[in-house]
Amino acid sequence: MSRVYGWMTGGLCLTGVVAWNVSGNPQLVQTIFGNPAVLWGLIIAQLGAVVALSWLINRIGGATATLIYFLYAGLTGLTLSSIFLIYTGSSIAAVFGVTAFGFAGLSGFGFVTKRDLGPVGSFCMMGLFGLVGYGLLSVIFPRLMTAGASFVFSIVGIIVFAGLTAYDTQKIKGMNAPGTEGTDAGRKTAIFGALRLYLDFINLFLSLLRLTGRRR
């Protein structure tokens, strides 16, 4: 688990550095967000990286898995640079701190509890599918994402990713096979676990930011 948290932290740091630097470069901001083809290309590349790492984790080597993971973290930094243009820096920092403390508590609970969190994970996965579906519909029909709908969307997102954080931690803990420390298989397991917790953290952070962040 220490390796999982280490890789996750490394990915978050890369995302933050990329997002911060891109937001301070008007030319890059214009290139990414002023051109729908570029933005959608980045989003599709992100989805492709997640799918590739999730489906091919048993067929690729540890080095390749690490490269794909950090590629995804970097691409996420490019698209998330927009939050520095929408929200104040102090608001982003405050929400990040709250997310970090909340994530630590939830992940710690998932790590130490003896209770099976499978039902929680199933419930949250259904909620996740609902969020993704509604999010896609709101892209096609922007009027669906009213102020009230956005508020509910954020609340549901917080609940879903809070539950998934605890559930994924328990599941990752169970994936650990004694004797794989330092092996290629152990590295791939740690990278895959880091990706799951990275996604939980990022989405929990964004849900809290949409709900409580102060706009510029």
Side-chain angles (χ1 to χ4, degrees):
M1 288 303 296
S2 63
R3 295 194 302 275
V4 170
Y5 289 125
W7 287 117
M8 185 201 76
T9 301
L12 289 173
C13 289
L14 177 59
T15 298
V17 169
V18 172
W20 172 259
N21 283 281
V22 170
S23 67
N25 188 320
Q27 185 175 355
L28 277 177
V29 170
Q30 179 60 33
T31 299
I32 295 172
F33 301 103
N35 189 333
V38 173
L39 180 58
W40 278 106
L42 291 173
I43 293 173
I44 292 172
Q46 284 180 260
L47 294 175
V50 171
V51 170
L53 194 54
S54 299
W55 288 3
L56 302 177
I57 190 66
N58 294 321
R59 302 180 185 178
I60 58 179
T64 303
T66 304
L67 177 62
I68 295 174
Y69 171 67
F70 280 113
L71 174 63
Y72 174 75
L75 291 171
T76 301
L78 292 176
T79 55
L80 282 190
S81 60
S82 60
I83 66 173
F84 289 99
L85 307 176
I86 299 172
Y87 301 95
T88 64
S90 60
S91 178
I92 292 173
V95 173
F96 185 87
V98 170
T99 305
F101 279 109
F103 179 90
L106 291 163
S107 187
F109 171 77
F111 184 79
V112 302
T113 186
K114 302 299 182 181
R115 181 181 179 183
D116 179 18
L117 298 179
V120 174
S122 298
F123 175 79
C124 290
M125 285 303 298
M126 288 190 293
L128 176 59
F129 290 137
L131 287 173
V132 172
Y134 192 83
L136 291 174
L137 283 175
S138 67
V139 171
I140 302 173
F141 307 105
R143 291 185 178 181
L144 288 176
M145 194 59 78
T146 61
S150 178
F151 177 81
V152 173
F153 189 85
S154 298
I155 292 294
V156 173
I158 292 170
I159 295 171
V160 165
F161 291 108
L164 285 177
T165 296
Y167 168 73
D168 284 340
T169 300
Q170 185 180 73
K171 193 169 183 65
I172 293 166
K173 178 184 176 183
M175 289 166 54
N176 180 54
T180 61
E181 294 82 358
T183 65
D184 193 62
R187 182 177 181 179
K188 290 194 294 182
T189 300
I191 288 292
F192 183 63
L195 175 66
R196 293 180 68 155
L197 292 184
Y198 171 97
L199 290 170
D200 293 336
F201 186 101
I202 287 290
N203 284 288
L204 183 60
F205 166 71
L206 291 176
S207 296
L208 284 167
L209 188 63
R210 282 192 296 267
L211 187 65
T212 65
R214 293 194 302 275
R215 294 177 176 267
R216 293 184 180 277

